[in-house]
Amino acid sequence: PIQLTLQYFGSYAEKQTIDFDKLGTQGLYLITGDTGSGKTTIFDAILYALYGSMSGEYRSKDTHVLRCSMAQPTDKTEVTLCFEYAGKKYEICRWMDYERKKERGEGFTAVSAGATLICPDGTILSKTKEVDAKIQEILGINCDQFSQIAMIAQGDFMKLLMTETKDRLPLFRKIFKTENYKTLQDRVLQAFTEGKKQYEETKVSINTIMGGVQCAEGSELLPELTRAQDSKQFTAIARMIEIIDATT
């Protein structure tokens, strides 16, 4: 995060700007304050700007609860986040429904919630669905995964630790970028499974052929042929071929 600007969001009424660059470039910050001072609201603002959502499993799914209680219908609840990812800077702005005065005549006009994203090359996305898709493309994770990786809400860390392995594995693959190893593992397993299947089919076929092989009484190969024809045993394929060649 480079800079976060809030307006009529949570407990922040007037426009407030948090300049993270002033805190240094080490990437580790401490946000401290009394209960109810707005610490979690800062995290909510970041998550809202990126995904239009809120942090924490037990918080309301209706993001309108984050609209400042002192805001008037015509006050625009808006969050702007400037951030850097993989050496590239982006700026995303997201706002909630509000009303504005009509340009002509009396009354108000309803303005729907929306979002814009300014990309490093200057491209501006202004449709919410396009912005949402682009953010997920940039970060490579969805809102739930972001909440478990980059910004874990109070009390949710234990939930991550206690979740089932099958649910944690995809998350950790995202964190440590090991999807390619999973792909390799799946391909090796598939090759092994196909090879084993072919082996078993060949073994059955050769045993079938061995069942029809006959050997003269008294032949020194008779005991070995008998063992090879025993369904409970399996003689090496190369040796079976030798026996067939010798008895035909």
Side-chain angles (χ1 to χ4, degrees):
I2 297 174
Q3 191 176 80
L4 177 69
T5 301
L6 316 175
Q7 179 176 289
Y8 293 107
F9 189 90
S11 55
Y12 298 88
E14 300 299 326
K15 181 179 289 187
Q16 303 284 340
T17 297
I18 301 173
D19 192 345
F20 289 98
D21 270 357
K22 290 184 177 180
L23 302 178
T25 58
Q26 298 302 311
L28 182 63
Y29 315 127
L30 171 64
I31 298 178
T32 182
D34 295 333
T35 300
S37 61
K39 301 185 299 298
T40 303
T41 302
I42 294 174
F43 295 109
D44 279 327
I46 293 174
L47 195 64
Y48 176 76
L50 293 174
Y51 295 101
S53 186
M54 299 170 61
S55 65
E57 177 186 5
Y58 302 106
R59 307 200 70 177
S60 172
K61 302 298 182 182
D62 181 11
T63 55
H64 284 82
V65 302
L66 292 173
R67 180 169 166 82
C68 180
S69 59
M70 293 182 286
Q72 300 300 312
T74 54
D75 292 329
K76 186 178 183 180
T77 297
E78 183 180 60
V79 177
T80 301
L81 174 66
C82 179
F83 67 96
E84 180 179 325
Y85 186 82
K88 297 181 179 180
K89 291 184 179 180
Y90 302 83
E91 183 177 303
I92 185 169
C93 179
R94 199 180 291 266
W95 60 90
M96 299 182 187
D97 300 323
Y98 71 102
E99 296 180 353
R100 62 173 174 80
K101 290 184 179 181
K102 291 183 177 180
E103 295 180 359
R104 297 180 180 179
E106 299 180 353
F108 299 90
T109 299
V111 180
S112 300
T116 60
L117 175 65
I118 303 177
C119 298
D121 61 359
T123 302
I124 301 177
L125 303 180
S126 56
K127 294 182 179 180
T128 303
K129 288 186 177 180
E130 290 180 344
V131 173
D132 292 344
K134 188 64 176 180
I135 285 295
Q136 186 154 334
E137 176 188 327
I138 294 168
L139 301 181
I141 52 179
N142 59 32
C143 182
D144 290 337
Q145 292 169 331
F146 183 88
S147 298
Q148 293 177 309
I149 296 172
M151 194 178 67
I152 303 178
Q154 300 178 65
D156 281 1
F157 188 69
M158 183 57 68
K159 176 187 173 185
L160 172 62
L161 295 178
M162 299 302 291
T163 191
E164 293 185 14
T165 301
K166 65 180 179 64
D167 297 322
R168 272 186 293 153
L169 281 176
L171 180 60
F172 288 146
R173 287 194 191 104
K174 287 283 185 180
I175 297 175
F176 300 110
K177 301 184 185 301
T178 60
E179 292 96 336
N180 289 340
Y181 298 103
K182 178 63 168 60
T183 301
L184 175 61
Q185 177 181 321
D186 291 341
R187 289 179 178 176
V188 171
L189 178 59
Q190 181 180 0
F192 169 79
T193 302
E194 292 175 353
K196 183 178 180 181
K197 179 181 179 182
Q198 184 178 1
Y199 169 79
E200 293 294 339
E201 290 175 350
T202 302
K203 184 174 71 172
V204 170
S205 178
I206 291 178
N207 276 334
T208 300
I209 294 174
M210 287 298 296
V213 175
Q214 296 181 354
C215 185
E217 291 291 338
S219 171
E220 59 181 12
L221 292 174
L222 183 59
E224 190 168 1
L225 175 62
T226 302
R227 287 195 301 271
Q229 291 176 333
D230 186 347
S231 60
K232 296 181 181 180
Q233 292 185 351
F234 176 66
T235 303
I237 293 176
R239 181 57 183 157
M240 284 185 173
I241 295 175
E242 290 179 6
I243 295 175
I244 293 174
D245 289 340
T247 56
T248 55

